[in-house]
C-alpha cells in the first residue's frame, strides 16, 4: 500500500522513552496536616528504594503484589514514622511499573523527610503529572483517560465528578474507538476501490458513502454539543450581588454560603471591598461576589468600593439585583436595574419585614420592566431563611445556557483540548461529506476522512508529539 492517505492506519505503539528507566518519588497528597499522607515511588528501582527506607518483617522486594506491610520508615539510622507500605508489582499498578506507596502520618514536615529519604536512596523527584504520564506511556490508559484524572481531581460539582470518572473508566475512549473503526472501514473500502479499479471489489456507492460519513459527522456533533454543559459544571459561573446599600447583600452572601464571611452592619456603605466565595447552587458551582452598594460614593474608600463593584459586575455571568421588599422600589433601585444587559435575578430581601398585604406581583412587574434581561424574581429573607432554596434554584437556572442542565446519554466533554480536536474532526467530516456528495474523486474524500481520523486519534493520544504530551502533563501537580 503506497498511497500516502492510507499510510500509518495502524499506529505503532508509543516507543518507551529513556526516562522511564528512572525511579521517581513524590508526595502524592496535598501539603497540609491530615490523618494520612502518601509518598509514592514508581519505577524499576521502586523496591530497592523501598527496602532502603522501610523496614518490616519481610523486605518489600520479596512480598507479592498488592500487599500491605506495616513497618518503620527510616532515613539512615533515624526512625521517621510508623507507616504502611502498599506494594504493587509491574504491570499491575497505576503506572504499570513497580510501585510502593507509603501511607504515613499526614505532617508536611514528615512527608518531606520521607520524600528526601527516597531521593537519597536512588529515586529522583517526579515531574508534575509524571506518574500519570507513565501510566499513559506504559499503556495503562490512553491520553483522554489520563486527562480525566486531572479533571476528576479538579472537579467542583457532582456532575463533573461523574463525567470525569466515566471518562477515566473509558466512556469517551470507547465512543471514539467506535467512530475510529467506522472511519477506518470507510477508508479501507475507498482504498479498495482505488486499488481495484476493474470492479473486482464491489464499489462503495456514493450515496452509501455520503450517508455513512453524515452519520459519523452527526455523532461527532452531538458529542460536541455536550461541551457547554461540561464547561458549566467544570468551571461554574460567576455571580455578583448588587443593589443599593443596606438592602441585605452581605446578609444574603452569608446565608447563601452558610457562613459568616461578610460583615453585616446597620450602617449603609460598610461593604467597601468585594468578597468572593464559592458554593454549590442546586449542584452548580457558583463563585459569588459581594459588592459595595451601588450609589454615589461619599468618601474615597466607598467610591473605590463602588468602582470594584462595577468591575465585578462586568466580569460576572449573572447579576443578582437585591432590593428591599419592605421599602418600595426606589429611583436608585431603578437606575441600578438599568445597568448592563447580563442575565439577572431580582431578589426582594427582608420579606419578613414587608407588609403582608403587599402586592408581590405588582412589585415584581415594576422591577422586571426596568431590566433588559430579567430571568427569575424571588422574595426572600436572609434573616429567616424564607425563599433561600428558591433563590439557589433561580441562580442555577439563570446561569445555565439553554439545555445546559440536561443530562444526556453518553460522555460529556470536559477538556478543551478534546473539544478543539473534535471540532476539527467534525469539520473534516463535513468536508468529506460535501466532497463525496459533489462527486469529487475518492482521493479527495479520503484526504478529508484522514484529517478526521487524525483529529480523533490525537484525543486518545495516538500520534501526539512529545511536546504536546509534556505540555499536557506539566499542567498536573507533582505527585499526580
Ligand atoms: P448590604 O449593605 O446590602 O450588604 O446590607 P447588610 O447585609 O449589611 O444588611 C443591612 C441591614 O439589614 C443589617 O442590619 C441586616 O441585619 C439587615 N437585614 C439583612 N437582611 C435582612 C432580612 O432578610 N430581614 C431583616 N429583618 N433584616 C435584614
Amino acid at each position: 500500500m503506497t498511497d500516502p492517505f492510507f499510510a500509518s492506519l495502524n499506529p505503532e505503539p508509543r516507543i518507551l522513552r529513556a526516562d522511564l528507566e528512572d525511579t521517581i518519588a513524590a508526595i502524592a497528597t496535598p501539603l497540609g496536616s491530615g490523618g494520612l499522607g502518601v509518598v509514592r515511588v514508581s519505577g524499576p528501582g521502586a523496591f530497592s528504594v523501598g527496602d532502603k527506607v522501610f523496614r518490616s518483617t519481610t523486605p518489600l522486594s520479596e512480598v507479592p503484589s498488592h500487599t500491605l506491610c506495616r513497618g518503620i520508615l527510616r532515613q539512615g539510622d533515624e526512625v521517621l514514622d510508623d507507616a504502611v507500605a502498599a506494594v504493587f508489582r509491574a504491570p499491575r499498578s497505576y503506572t504499570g511499573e513497580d510501585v510502593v506507596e507509603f501511607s504515613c502520618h499526614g505532617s508536611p514536615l514528615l512527608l518531606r523527610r520521607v520524600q528526601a529519604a527516597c531521593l537519597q536512596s536512588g529515586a529522583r523527584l517526579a515531574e508534575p503529572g509524571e506518574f500519570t504520564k507513565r501510566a499513559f506511556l506504559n499503556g495503562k490508559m490512553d491520553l483522554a483517560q489520563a486527562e480525566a484524572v486531572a479533571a476528576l481531581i479538579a472537579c467542583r460539582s457532582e456532575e463533573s465528578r461523574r463525567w470525569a470518572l466515566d471518562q477515566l473508566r473509558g466512556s469517551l475512549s470507547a465512543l471514539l474507538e467506535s467512530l475510529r473503526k467506522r472511519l477506518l472501514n470507510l477508508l479501507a473500502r475507498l482504498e479498495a476501490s482505488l486499488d481495484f479499479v476493474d470492479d473486482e471489489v464491489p464499489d462503495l456507492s456514493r450515496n452509501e458513502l455520503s450517508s455513512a460519513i453524515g452519520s459519523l459527522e452527526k455523532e461527532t456533533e452531538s458529542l460536541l454539543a455536550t461541551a457547554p454543559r461540561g464547561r458549566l459544571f467544570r468551571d461554574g459561573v460567576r455571580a455578583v450581588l448588587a443593589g443599593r446599600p443596606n438592602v441585605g447583600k452581605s446578609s444574603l452572601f452569608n446565608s447563601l454560603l452558610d457562613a459568616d464571611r461578610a460583615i453585616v452592619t446597620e450602617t449603609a456603605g460598610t461593604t467597601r471591598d468585594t468578597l468572593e466565595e464559592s458554593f454549590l447552587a442546586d449542584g452548580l458551582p457558583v463563585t459569588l461576589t459581594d459588592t459595595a452598594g451601588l450609589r454615589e460614593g461619599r468618601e474615597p474608600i466607598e467610591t473605590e468600593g463602588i468602582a470594584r463593584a462595577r468591575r465585578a459586575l462586568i466580569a460576572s455571568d449573572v447579576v443578582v439585583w437585591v432590593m428591599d421588599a419592605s421599602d418600595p422600589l426606589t429611583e436608585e433601585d431603578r437606575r441600578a436595574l438599568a445597568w448592563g444587559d447580563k442575565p439577572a435575578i431580582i431578589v426582594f430581601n427582608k420579606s419578613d419585614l414587608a407588609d403582608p398585604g403587599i402586592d408581590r406581583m405588582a412589585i415584581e412587574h415594576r422591577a422586571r420592566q426596568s431590566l433588559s434581561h430579567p430571568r427569575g424574581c424571588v422574595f426572600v429573607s436572609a434573616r429567616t431563611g424564607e425563599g433561600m432554596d428558591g433563590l439557589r434554584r433561580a441562580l442555577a437556572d439563570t446561569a445555565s445556557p439553554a439545555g445546559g442542565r440536561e443530562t444526556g446519554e453518553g460522555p460529556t466533554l470536559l477538556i478543551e483540548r478534546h473539544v478543539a480536536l473534535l471540532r476539527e474532526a467534525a469539520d473534516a467530516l463535513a468536508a468529506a461529506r460535501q466532497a463525496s456528495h459533489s462527486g469529487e474523486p475518492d482521493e479527495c474524500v479520503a484526504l478529508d476522512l484522514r484529517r478526521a481520523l487524525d483529529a480523533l486519534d490525537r484525543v486518545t493520544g495516538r500520534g501526539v508529539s512529545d511536546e504536546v504530551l509534556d505540555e499536557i502533563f506539566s499542567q498536573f501537580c507533582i505527585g499526580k
Side-chain angles (χ1 to χ4, degrees):
M1 191 198 309
T2 50
D3 201 302
F5 306 130
F6 305 110
S8 80
L9 284 187
N10 294 308
E12 294 294 311
R14 181 165 284 279
I15 293 162
L16 299 188
R17 296 181 345 159
D19 56 12
L20 286 180
E21 286 161 17
D22 290 351
T23 295
I24 54 172
I27 300 168
T29 40
L31 270 186
S33 301
L36 289 177
V38 172
V39 174
R40 181 143 75 169
V41 187
S42 177
F47 299 139
S48 125
V49 171
D51 283 341
K52 285 189 191 127
V53 301
F54 189 77
R55 179 153 301 159
S56 60
T57 40
T58 315
L60 298 180
S61 51
E62 290 171 22
V63 301
S65 188
H66 294 70
T67 305
L68 291 180
C69 304
R70 171 108 195 262
I72 284 166
L73 273 165
R74 301 173 312 157
Q75 186 168 27
D77 291 334
E78 190 184 358
V79 173
L80 297 179
D81 196 12
D82 271 342
V84 171
V87 172
F88 305 91
R89 291 186 179 275
R92 294 175 58 214
S93 71
Y94 180 69
T95 56
E97 305 171 329
D98 286 343
V99 169
V100 180
E101 286 175 7
F102 296 114
S103 295
C104 322
H105 293 98
S107 138
L109 183 139
L110 166 64
L111 290 168
R112 282 205 193 91
R113 291 280 317 265
V114 175
Q115 177 180 275
C118 293
L119 301 186
Q120 238 175 33
S121 306
R124 74 159 163 80
L125 186 62
E127 289 166 16
E130 196 172 0
F131 291 98
T132 309
K133 184 178 180 181
R134 286 182 173 210
F136 165 68
L137 292 174
N138 289 322
K140 296 296 285 188
M141 53 178 82
D142 66 27
L143 194 53
Q145 290 172 299
E147 289 169 291
V149 173
L152 183 58
I153 290 168
C155 72
R156 292 174 59 197
S157 65
E158 263 306 305
E159 275 79 359
S160 56
R161 179 195 64 74
R162 226 179 32 243
W163 296 333
L165 183 65
D166 278 352
Q167 192 171 315
L168 176 56
R169 300 177 77 188
S171 63
L172 178 62
S173 310
L175 178 62
L176 295 181
E177 192 52 36
S178 96
L179 293 176
R180 176 174 203 272
K181 277 208 178 103
R182 283 152 61 195
L183 252 175
L184 279 175
N185 182 276
L186 286 181
L187 275 164
R189 290 180 69 182
L190 275 178
E191 171 209 354
S193 57
L194 282 176
D195 282 357
F196 301 96
V197 273
D198 50 356
D199 287 346
E200 275 177 48
V201 173
D203 239 2
L204 184 61
S205 85
R206 274 304 163 118
N207 272 349
E208 215 185 326
L209 179 63
S210 307
S211 108
I213 299 173
S215 74
L216 285 170
E217 183 191 349
K218 214 165 120 206
E219 284 169 54
T220 311
E221 287 290 358
S222 53
L223 185 53
L224 274 165
T226 65
R229 187 169 81 205
R231 228 169 258 142
L232 184 70
F233 283 91
R234 182 194 62 200
D235 300 340
V237 292
R238 300 189 70 84
V240 58
L241 288 163
R244 69 186 152 89
N246 240 21
V247 288
K249 295 182 295 302
S250 300
S251 308
L252 282 172
F253 183 81
N254 288 334
S255 176
L256 282 168
L257 293 163
D258 238 354
D260 266 346
R261 175 77 168 76
I263 305 158
V264 177
T265 69
E266 288 176 22
T267 323
T270 41
T271 306
R272 283 156 174 177
D273 203 349
T274 48
L275 287 178
E276 202 174 274
E277 289 285 345
S278 295
F279 72 106
L280 288 176
D282 217 22
L284 179 74
V286 175
T287 303
L288 184 67
T289 307
D290 182 22
T291 65
L294 287 175
R295 66 169 180 183
E296 296 312 312
R298 298 170 192 199
E299 40 175 310
I301 190 165
E302 195 184 341
T303 311
E304 174 55 24
I306 292 167
R308 288 184 190 195
R310 288 192 189 285
R311 285 201 290 276
L313 277 171
I314 290 165
S316 69
D317 303 303
V318 180
V319 184
V320 181
W321 290 112
V322 187
M323 314 279 143
D324 186 334
S326 67
D327 188 12
L329 216 59
T330 65
E331 202 35 51
E332 212 171 353
D333 286 336
R334 254 194 274 273
R335 270 209 303 277
L337 284 176
W339 184 91
D341 57 359
K342 303 247 170 175
I345 312 171
I346 306 169
V347 177
F348 289 98
N349 185 36
K350 309 196 189 181
S351 60
D352 56 304
L353 294 183
D355 175 354
I358 58 161
D359 184 349
R360 289 188 173 191
M361 298 274 277
I363 296 180
E364 209 181 301
H365 180 69
R366 280 213 307 283
R368 279 179 188 280
Q369 280 179 326
S370 310
L371 265 185
S372 39
H373 287 278
R375 298 272 177 95
C377 193
V378 281
F379 282 77
V380 304
S381 166
R383 178 152 300 171
T384 67
E386 186 209 336
M388 291 304 293
D389 284 343
L391 172 55
R392 289 189 184 89
R393 253 193 322 275
L395 196 52
D397 289 345
T398 308
S400 310
R405 287 167 68 71
E406 284 165 24
T407 38
E409 293 280 302
T412 296
L413 294 179
L414 278 174
I415 290 159
E416 293 305 325
R417 193 184 72 86
H418 302 170
V419 179
L421 286 170
L422 286 162
R423 182 73 269 146
E424 268 183 46
D427 291 349
L429 287 167
R433 184 178 41 77
Q434 284 281 326
S436 162
H437 188 69
S438 52
E440 288 186 34
D442 284 357
E443 289 90 329
C444 296
V445 181
L447 186 62
D448 288 324
L449 290 182
R450 282 269 340 153
R451 280 201 296 128
L453 184 68
D454 280 351
L456 291 185
D457 279 352
R458 275 182 286 148
V459 176
T460 49
R462 283 190 181 92
V464 167
S465 69
D466 282 354
E467 290 69 38
V468 172
L469 285 184
D470 288 345
E471 165 69 25
I472 292 170
F473 287 106
S474 68
Q475 290 161 17
F476 282 53
C477 313
I478 290 184
K480 307 282 159 43

Coordinates of all heavy atoms in Angstrom, one line a residue, residues 326-380:
S326 N -39.3 45.6 52.0 CA -40.0 46.4 52.9 C -40.0 47.8 52.6 O -40.6 48.7 53.2 CB -39.5 46.2 54.4 OG -38.2 46.8 54.4
D327 N -39.2 48.1 51.5 CA -39.0 49.5 51.1 C -39.3 49.6 49.6 O -38.5 49.1 48.9 CB -37.6 49.9 51.5 CG -37.3 51.3 51.3 OD1 -38.2 52.1 51.1 OD2 -36.1 51.7 51.3
P328 N -40.4 50.2 49.2 CA -40.7 50.1 47.7 C -39.6 50.5 46.8 O -38.7 51.2 47.2 CB -41.9 51.0 47.6 CG -42.4 51.3 49.0 CD -41.3 51.0 49.9
L329 N -39.6 50.0 45.6 CA -38.6 50.2 44.6 C -38.3 51.7 44.5 O -39.1 52.5 44.2 CB -39.2 49.8 43.3 CG -38.3 49.1 42.3 CD1 -37.6 47.9 42.8 CD2 -39.1 48.8 41.0
T330 N -37.0 52.1 44.8 CA -36.7 53.5 44.7 C -36.1 53.8 43.4 O -35.8 53.0 42.6 CB -35.6 53.8 45.8 OG1 -34.4 53.1 45.4 CG2 -36.0 53.4 47.2
E331 N -35.9 55.1 43.2 CA -35.3 55.6 41.9 C -33.9 55.0 41.8 O -33.5 54.6 40.7 CB -35.3 57.2 41.9 CG -35.3 57.8 40.5 CD -36.0 57.1 39.5 OE1 -37.2 56.7 39.6 OE2 -35.4 56.8 38.4
E332 N -33.2 54.9 42.9 CA -31.9 54.4 42.9 C -31.9 52.9 42.5 O -31.0 52.5 41.7 CB -31.3 54.5 44.4 CG -29.8 54.7 44.4 CD -29.4 55.0 45.8 OE1 -30.2 55.2 46.7 OE2 -28.1 55.1 46.0
D333 N -32.9 52.2 42.9 CA -33.0 50.8 42.5 C -33.2 50.7 41.0 O -32.6 49.9 40.3 CB -34.3 50.1 43.2 CG -34.0 49.8 44.6 OD1 -32.9 49.7 45.0 OD2 -35.1 49.7 45.3
R334 N -34.1 51.5 40.5 CA -34.4 51.5 39.1 C -33.2 51.9 38.2 O -32.9 51.2 37.2 CB -35.6 52.5 38.8 CG -36.9 51.7 38.6 CD -37.9 52.6 37.9 NE -38.6 53.3 39.0 CZ -39.7 52.8 39.6 NH1 -40.2 51.7 39.3 NH2 -40.3 53.5 40.5
R335 N -32.4 52.8 38.7 CA -31.2 53.2 38.0 C -30.2 52.0 38.0 O -29.6 51.7 37.0 CB -30.5 54.4 38.6 CG -31.0 55.7 38.1 CD -29.9 56.8 38.2 NE -29.4 57.0 39.5 CZ -30.0 57.8 40.4 NH1 -31.1 58.4 40.1 NH2 -29.6 57.9 41.7
A336 N -30.1 51.3 39.1 CA -29.2 50.2 39.2 C -29.7 49.1 38.3 O -28.9 48.5 37.5 CB -29.2 49.6 40.7
L337 N -31.0 48.8 38.3 CA -31.5 47.7 37.4 C -31.2 48.0 35.9 O -31.1 47.1 35.1 CB -33.0 47.6 37.6 CG -33.4 46.9 38.9 CD1 -34.9 46.9 39.0 CD2 -32.9 45.5 38.9
A338 N -31.2 49.3 35.6 CA -31.0 49.6 34.2 C -29.5 49.3 33.7 O -29.2 49.4 32.5 CB -31.3 51.1 33.9
W339 N -28.7 48.9 34.7 CA -27.3 48.7 34.3 C -27.1 47.4 33.5 O -27.6 46.4 33.8 CB -26.4 48.6 35.6 CG -25.0 48.5 35.3 CD1 -24.1 49.5 35.2 CD2 -24.3 47.3 35.0 NE1 -22.9 49.0 34.9 CE2 -22.9 47.6 34.8 CE3 -24.6 45.9 34.9 CZ2 -21.9 46.7 34.4 CZ3 -23.6 45.0 34.6 CH2 -22.3 45.4 34.3
G340 N -26.4 47.6 32.4 CA -25.9 46.4 31.6 C -27.0 45.5 31.1 O -28.2 45.8 31.2
D341 N -26.6 44.4 30.5 CA -27.6 43.5 29.9 C -27.2 42.1 30.2 O -27.4 41.2 29.4 CB -27.6 43.8 28.4 CG -26.3 43.6 27.8 OD1 -25.3 43.3 28.5 OD2 -26.1 43.7 26.5
K342 N -26.7 41.8 31.4 CA -26.4 40.5 31.8 C -27.7 39.7 32.3 O -28.6 40.4 32.8 CB -25.5 40.5 33.0 CG -24.2 41.3 32.8 CD -23.0 40.3 32.8 CE -21.8 41.1 32.3 NZ -20.6 40.4 32.3
P343 N -27.7 38.4 32.2 CA -28.8 37.6 32.8 C -28.8 38.0 34.2 O -27.8 38.1 34.9 CB -28.3 36.2 32.6 CG -27.3 36.2 31.5 CD -26.7 37.5 31.5
A344 N -30.0 38.2 34.7 CA -30.2 38.7 36.1 C -31.3 38.1 36.8 O -32.3 37.6 36.2 CB -30.4 40.2 36.0
I345 N -31.2 38.1 38.1 CA -32.3 37.7 39.0 C -32.6 38.9 39.9 O -31.7 39.6 40.3 CB -31.9 36.6 40.0 CG1 -31.2 35.5 39.2 CG2 -33.1 36.0 40.7 CD1 -30.6 34.4 40.2
I346 N -33.9 39.1 40.2 CA -34.2 40.2 41.1 C -34.6 39.5 42.4 O -35.5 38.6 42.4 CB -35.4 41.0 40.6 CG1 -35.1 41.5 39.2 CG2 -35.7 42.2 41.5 CD1 -36.3 42.2 38.5
V347 N -34.0 39.9 43.5 CA -34.3 39.4 44.8 C -34.9 40.4 45.7 O -34.2 41.5 45.9 CB -33.0 38.8 45.4 CG1 -33.3 38.3 46.8 CG2 -32.4 37.7 44.5
F348 N -36.1 40.2 46.2 CA -36.6 41.1 47.2 C -36.3 40.5 48.5 O -36.9 39.5 48.9 CB -38.1 41.3 47.0 CG -38.4 42.1 45.7 CD1 -38.8 41.5 44.5 CD2 -38.3 43.5 45.8 CE1 -39.0 42.3 43.4 CE2 -38.5 44.3 44.6 CZ -38.9 43.7 43.4
N349 N -35.3 41.2 49.2 CA -34.9 40.6 50.5 C -35.8 41.3 51.6 O -36.5 42.2 51.4 CB -33.4 40.9 50.7 CG -32.9 40.3 52.0 OD1 -33.3 39.2 52.4 ND2 -32.0 41.0 52.6
K350 N -35.6 40.8 52.8 CA -36.3 41.3 54.0 C -37.8 41.1 53.9 O -38.6 41.9 54.3 CB -36.0 42.8 54.3 CG -34.5 43.1 54.3 CD -34.2 44.5 54.9 CE -32.8 44.9 54.8 NZ -32.4 46.1 55.4
S351 N -38.2 39.9 53.3 CA -39.6 39.7 53.1 C -40.3 39.6 54.5 O -41.5 39.8 54.6 CB -39.8 38.3 52.3 OG -39.2 37.3 53.0
D352 N -39.5 39.3 55.5 CA -40.1 39.2 56.9 C -40.6 40.6 57.4 O -41.4 40.7 58.2 CB -39.0 38.6 57.9 CG -37.7 39.4 57.9 OD1 -37.1 39.6 56.8 OD2 -37.3 39.9 59.0
L353 N -40.0 41.6 56.8 CA -40.4 43.0 57.3 C -41.5 43.6 56.4 O -42.0 44.6 56.7 CB -39.1 43.9 57.2 CG -38.0 43.7 58.2 CD1 -36.9 44.7 58.0 CD2 -38.5 43.6 59.6
A354 N -41.7 42.9 55.2 CA -42.6 43.5 54.3 C -44.0 43.4 54.8 O -44.4 42.5 55.5 CB -42.5 42.8 52.9
D355 N -44.8 44.4 54.5 CA -46.2 44.4 54.8 C -46.9 43.2 54.2 O -46.8 42.9 53.0 CB -46.8 45.7 54.2 CG -48.3 45.8 54.4 OD1 -48.9 44.8 54.9 OD2 -48.9 46.8 54.1
P356 N -47.5 42.3 55.0 CA -48.1 41.0 54.5 C -49.1 41.3 53.4 O -49.3 40.5 52.5 CB -48.7 40.4 55.7 CG -48.3 41.1 56.9 CD -47.8 42.4 56.5
G357 N -49.6 42.5 53.4 CA -50.6 42.8 52.3 C -50.0 43.3 51.0 O -50.8 43.6 50.1
I358 N -48.7 43.4 50.9 CA -48.1 43.9 49.7 C -48.4 43.1 48.4 O -48.6 41.9 48.6 CB -46.6 44.2 49.7 CG1 -45.9 42.8 50.0 CG2 -46.2 45.3 50.6 CD1 -44.4 42.8 49.6
D359 N -48.6 43.7 47.4 CA -48.9 43.0 46.1 C -47.5 42.6 45.5 O -46.9 43.4 44.7 CB -49.7 44.0 45.2 CG -50.1 43.3 43.9 OD1 -49.6 42.2 43.7 OD2 -51.0 43.8 43.2
R360 N -47.1 41.4 45.8 CA -45.8 41.0 45.3 C -45.7 41.0 43.7 O -44.7 41.3 43.2 CB -45.5 39.5 45.8 CG -45.2 39.5 47.3 CD -44.7 38.1 47.7 NE -44.3 38.2 49.1 CZ -43.6 37.2 49.7 NH1 -43.3 36.1 49.0 NH2 -43.2 37.3 50.9
M361 N -46.9 40.6 43.1 CA -46.9 40.5 41.7 C -46.6 41.9 41.1 O -45.9 42.1 40.1 CB -48.3 40.0 41.2 CG -48.6 38.7 41.6 SD -47.9 37.4 40.5 CE -49.2 37.4 39.3
A362 N -47.3 42.9 41.7 CA -47.1 44.3 41.1 C -45.7 44.8 41.3 O -45.1 45.4 40.4 CB -48.1 45.2 41.9
I363 N -45.1 44.5 42.5 CA -43.7 44.9 42.7 C -42.8 44.3 41.7 O -41.9 44.9 41.1 CB -43.3 44.6 44.1 CG1 -44.1 45.4 45.2 CG2 -41.8 44.9 44.3 CD1 -43.7 45.1 46.6
E364 N -43.0 42.9 41.5 CA -42.2 42.1 40.6 C -42.3 42.7 39.2 O -41.3 42.9 38.5 CB -42.8 40.7 40.6 CG -41.8 39.7 40.4 CD -42.4 38.3 40.4 OE1 -43.0 37.9 41.4 OE2 -42.4 37.6 39.3
H365 N -43.5 43.0 38.8 CA -43.8 43.5 37.5 C -43.0 44.8 37.2 O -42.4 45.0 36.2 CB -45.3 43.7 37.3 CG -45.6 44.2 35.9 ND1 -45.5 43.5 34.8 CD2 -46.1 45.5 35.5 CE1 -45.8 44.2 33.7 NE2 -46.2 45.4 34.1
R366 N -43.1 45.7 38.2 CA -42.4 47.0 38.1 C -40.9 46.8 38.0 O -40.3 47.5 37.2 CB -42.7 47.9 39.3 CG -44.1 48.6 39.2 CD -44.1 50.0 39.8 NE -43.6 50.0 41.2 CZ -44.3 49.6 42.3 NH1 -45.5 49.2 42.1 NH2 -43.8 49.6 43.5
A367 N -40.4 45.9 38.8 CA -38.9 45.7 38.7 C -38.5 45.1 37.4 O -37.5 45.5 36.8 CB -38.5 44.8 39.9
R368 N -39.3 44.1 36.9 CA -39.0 43.5 35.6 C -38.9 44.5 34.5 O -38.1 44.4 33.6 CB -40.0 42.4 35.3 CG -39.8 41.1 36.0 CD -40.9 40.1 35.6 NE -40.8 38.9 36.4 CZ -40.0 37.9 36.1 NH1 -39.1 38.0 35.2 NH2 -40.0 36.8 36.9
Q369 N -39.8 45.5 34.6 CA -39.8 46.5 33.5 C -38.5 47.2 33.4 O -38.2 47.7 32.3 CB -41.0 47.5 33.8 CG -42.3 46.9 33.4 CD -43.4 47.9 33.6 OE1 -43.3 48.6 34.6 NE2 -44.4 47.9 32.8
S370 N -37.8 47.3 34.5 CA -36.5 48.1 34.5 C -35.4 47.2 34.0 O -34.3 47.8 33.7 CB -36.2 48.6 35.9 OG -37.3 49.2 36.5
L371 N -35.5 45.9 33.8 CA -34.4 45.1 33.5 C -34.5 44.7 32.0 O -35.6 44.4 31.5 CB -34.5 43.7 34.2 CG -33.8 43.6 35.5 CD1 -34.0 42.2 36.0 CD2 -32.3 43.9 35.4
S372 N -33.3 44.7 31.3 CA -33.4 44.3 29.9 C -33.4 42.8 29.7 O -34.0 42.3 28.8 CB -32.2 44.9 29.2 OG -31.0 44.8 30.0
H373 N -32.8 42.0 30.7 CA -32.8 40.6 30.6 C -33.3 39.9 31.8 O -32.5 39.2 32.5 CB -31.5 40.0 30.2 CG -31.1 40.3 28.8 ND1 -31.5 39.5 27.7 CD2 -30.3 41.3 28.3 CE1 -31.0 40.0 26.6 NE2 -30.3 41.1 26.9
P374 N -34.5 40.1 32.3 CA -34.9 39.5 33.5 C -35.1 38.0 33.4 O -35.5 37.5 32.4 CB -36.3 40.2 33.8 CG -36.8 40.5 32.4 CD -35.6 40.8 31.5
R375 N -34.7 37.3 34.4 CA -35.0 35.9 34.5 C -35.9 35.6 35.7 O -37.0 35.9 35.7 CB -33.7 35.1 34.5 CG -32.8 35.3 33.3 CD -33.1 34.3 32.2 NE -32.3 34.5 31.0 CZ -31.2 33.9 30.7 NH1 -30.7 33.0 31.5 NH2 -30.5 34.2 29.7
G376 N -35.2 35.2 36.8 CA -36.0 34.9 38.0 C -36.3 36.1 38.8 O -35.7 37.1 38.7
C377 N -37.3 36.0 39.6 CA -37.7 37.0 40.6 C -38.1 36.3 41.9 O -39.0 35.5 41.8 CB -38.8 37.9 40.0 SG -39.0 39.4 40.9
V378 N -37.4 36.6 43.0 CA -37.8 35.8 44.2 C -37.9 36.7 45.4 O -37.2 37.7 45.5 CB -36.8 34.7 44.5 CG1 -37.0 33.5 43.7 CG2 -35.3 35.2 44.3
F379 N -38.8 36.4 46.3 CA -38.9 37.1 47.6 C -38.2 36.2 48.6 O -38.5 35.0 48.7 CB -40.3 37.3 48.0 CG -40.9 38.5 47.2 CD1 -41.3 38.3 45.9 CD2 -41.1 39.7 47.9 CE1 -41.9 39.4 45.2 CE2 -41.7 40.8 47.2 CZ -42.0 40.6 45.8
V380 N -37.2 36.8 49.4 CA -36.5 36.0 50.4 C -36.3 36.8 51.7 O -36.5 38.0 51.7 CB -35.1 35.6 49.9 CG1 -35.1 34.9 48.6 CG2 -34.2 36.8 49.8

